[in-house]
Amino acid sequence: MPKSAVDVSAAPLVPPRATKPPRLLWLLGPALVAGVAYLDPGNVASNMTAGAQYGYLLVWVVVAGNVMAWLIQYLSAKLGVVTGKSLPEVLGERIQRRPLRIAYWIQAELVAMATDLAEIIGGAVALYLLFDLPLIVGGLITGTVSMIMLTLQSRRGPRAFEGVIVSLLVVIAVGFSAGVFLSPPDASSVASGLLPRFEDANSVLLAASILGATIMPHAIYAHSALSRDRFAVRASGLTTARLLRVTRWDVSIAMLIAGSVNLAILLLAATNLAGVPGTDSLEGAHAALENSIGPVIATLFAVGLLASGLASTSVGAYAGAEIMQGLLKVRIPLLLRRLISLIPALVLLGSGFDPTLALVLSQVVLSFGIPFALIPLVVITARQGILGQYANRWFTTAAGAVASVLLVSLNAVLLVLLVTGAE
C-alpha cells in the first residue's frame, strides 16, 4: 500500500489576494446533504414499524445510533477536508490487488442498490398516498425528478444542489415532526425506552433495521466526497484547522436534525399507532394517523415521505457514482447511472411485493454493509501517513472501534436469529 503522506499544513489554502474569510453560514452544507441519507424512506418504515409494534422499546436504538452517526460522519468529512479525496478514492489507491477492489466494490454497490430501492419505493408510496397513483408510475416520477436534481448538481455545482436538498430537508422535518407536537408522547414512557433491551428476535431485526437506516454506508462514502467537492476551491484565509472546526458544527447541526426527526417518527407511531391493526405498512400507518390525529397530519406525513424519497435518492445516486469512480476508476454519467439503478426498484414495484416490507429489509441489508465502510474509515483516519497532524487521537479511534464492534456484534446476533428462526 502506498505510504506517502498528504500535505496537511495549517497555512492558508487560498490565493494571497483574497482577504476576507467567508462567514460560517457559507461553509455549512455538506453534512446537511449527507444527513438526508439519515431521513430516507427506509428510516420512516423502520421507525414507524418499531413504534407501532413495540411502542417505546427501541427509543434507545435511535438515540445510540445517532450518537455513533455523529462520530462516523465527522470522520468521513474530515477525510475529505484533509486529503481532498473521498473514502472510495483512498481505498482504491490502497487496495492494490484488483480482485480485492472488485470484491469490495460489489458489496458497496449492493448497499447502494438497497439504498436506492428504499428511496424510490418511498417516493412511489408517497405519491400513491397523495394522488392515488399506481406505485410503478410513482417510481418513474420519483426517478425522473431525481434526474433533474442530479442535472442541477452537475451543471450548477455543489452550492445549488445543497440549496435544493436543504429545502427538502425542511419539508421532511415539518412533515414527520408535526404530529408529535399535536399529540405529544408520555415523558415517562419515552424515558423508559432509553433502557437498552430487546423483547424478541423481531425486535432485534427492527433494531438492526433502524441502525442500518441511521448509520448509512453510502452516507459514509458520500460525505467525504461532498466535503472534497465543496472545498476543492477554498476561500480567503481558510486553514485546514478552521475547516475542521466548521465541519464539526456542520455535522452537529445535521445530526441533531436527523436524530430529532427519526425520534419523532418513532414517538409518533408509539403514541398513536401502538396496537392499531394494519399499521405494519406505510399505507396503513397513514390511514391510522388520519383516523387518530386528522387528515392534515396524515397529509404532512405523506408530503414528508415524498420529500424524503426525492432528496435521498439524489444523494444515493451521487454516492453510487463516487463508489465506482473511486474504487474502479470508472466514471459513468450520473444520469445514466440513475436510469440503470431505477430498474430493480421498478421491477419490485411492478411485482406487487409489499413495499413496506421491502423498505425494512433493505435497511437490514444496509446494516450488514456498515462494517465494510466503517472499519476502513476508522483505520484510515487514524493513520498519520494519510492525515498527518489531523489523524485521530487515541480516544477517537477507540470510540470508532467500540462503535464498530457494537454494530458488527448486533448484525452477528441478527444473522443467527434469522438462520435459526428464533422468535
Side-chain angles (χ1 to χ4, degrees):
M1 294 183 180
K3 299 183 179 297
S4 57
V6 298
D7 180 11
V8 291
S9 65
L13 301 171
V14 292
R17 66 177 180 274
T19 56
K20 186 177 181 182
R23 295 181 178 180
L24 173 65
L25 186 62
W26 184 92
L27 299 172
L28 301 178
L32 293 171
V33 175
V36 166
Y38 293 78
L39 295 170
D40 80 338
N43 290 77
V44 181
S46 297
N47 289 316
M48 289 292 287
T49 303
Q53 292 187 7
Y54 293 98
Y56 303 94
L57 178 72
L58 299 179
V59 165
W60 68 274
V61 178
V62 177
V63 174
N66 203 66
V67 172
M68 288 188 285
W70 185 96
L71 172 63
I72 293 165
Q73 292 307 130
Y74 173 67
L75 293 181
S76 176
K78 181 171 76 168
L79 179 65
V81 168
V82 175
T83 67
K85 298 176 182 178
S86 68
L87 178 59
E89 283 180 307
V90 175
L91 289 172
E93 293 174 356
R94 301 183 71 82
I95 303 175
Q96 295 187 337
R97 297 182 60 184
R98 183 169 177 80
L100 291 179
R101 282 204 310 275
I102 292 175
Y104 189 94
W105 170 73
I106 289 173
Q107 66 80 27
E109 281 290 348
L110 289 175
V111 166
M113 288 173 61
T115 301
D116 207 48
L117 186 72
E119 292 154 354
I120 295 296
I121 289 175
V125 171
L127 288 169
Y128 169 75
L129 295 176
L130 289 169
F131 306 110
D132 202 27
L133 291 176
L135 290 176
I136 193 165
V137 174
L140 284 169
I141 293 174
T142 303
T144 301
V145 174
S146 70
M147 288 182 192
I148 296 172
M149 294 170 63
L150 289 170
T151 300
L152 178 69
Q153 193 273 344
S154 300
R155 296 184 178 179
R156 301 289 297 275
R159 287 291 291 171
F161 186 61
E162 285 172 13
V164 174
I165 296 297
V166 171
S167 299
L168 289 172
L169 181 62
V170 173
V171 176
I172 294 167
V174 173
F176 291 145
S177 303
V180 174
F181 292 98
L182 189 62
S183 179
D186 177 66
S188 61
S189 298
V190 176
S192 70
L194 295 173
L195 178 65
R197 64 196 190 279
F198 297 108
E199 187 172 299
D200 51 28
N202 190 54
S203 65
V204 179
L205 174 67
L206 281 173
S209 181
I210 291 171
L211 288 175
T214 303
I215 303 172
M216 304 282 278
H218 83 282
I220 299 175
Y221 299 125
H223 201 165
S224 56
L226 288 164
S227 297
R228 175 204 64 196
D229 293 348
R230 182 69 147 74
F231 302 118
V233 179
R234 301 185 179 178
S236 172
L238 286 182
T239 64
T240 300
R242 188 181 179 209
L243 278 176
L244 291 178
R245 287 196 296 271
V246 172
T247 296
R248 284 192 286 271
W249 276 102
D250 195 23
V251 174
S252 297
I253 294 170
M255 292 300 99
L256 178 62
I257 294 172
S260 299
V261 175
N262 276 320
L263 186 59
I265 295 169
L266 188 146
L267 296 180
L268 180 67
T271 305
N272 298 281
L273 306 182
V276 178
T279 54
D280 54 349
S281 69
L282 288 174
E283 299 94 322
H286 176 266
L289 287 174
E290 186 171 11
N291 291 333
S292 61
I293 308 180
V296 173
I297 295 301
T299 300
L300 286 174
F301 173 82
V303 171
L305 182 62
L306 177 60
S308 169
L310 294 175
S312 55
T313 192
S314 302
V315 176
Y318 173 92
E322 183 61 37
I323 290 168
M324 177 176 287
Q325 165 65 15
L327 290 168
L328 301 185
K329 309 302 180 186
V330 175
R331 183 180 294 277
I332 62 174
L334 269 175
L335 296 184
L336 176 60
R337 181 182 176 84
R338 169 77 286 172
L339 283 171
I340 295 172
S341 60
L342 269 176
I343 295 173
L346 294 178
V347 169
L348 191 64
L349 288 171
S351 70
F353 191 84
D354 180 9
T356 303
L357 178 59
L359 285 174
V360 174
L361 292 178
S362 72
Q363 303 313 296
V364 176
V365 173
L366 293 181
S367 73
F368 284 104
I370 291 170
F372 294 99
L374 176 55
I375 294 174
L377 176 68
V378 174
V379 171
I380 287 170
T381 54
R383 294 193 173 180
Q384 291 189 349
I386 301 177
L387 272 76
Q389 63 181 305
Y390 299 107
N392 298 341
R393 298 182 182 181
W394 70 266
F395 51 83
T396 303
T397 301
V402 169
S404 302
V405 169
L406 288 174
L407 291 167
V408 172
S409 299
L410 178 61
N411 289 331
V413 171
L414 171 64
L415 182 61
V416 171
L417 292 173
L418 289 174
V419 170
T420 59
E423 297 183 359

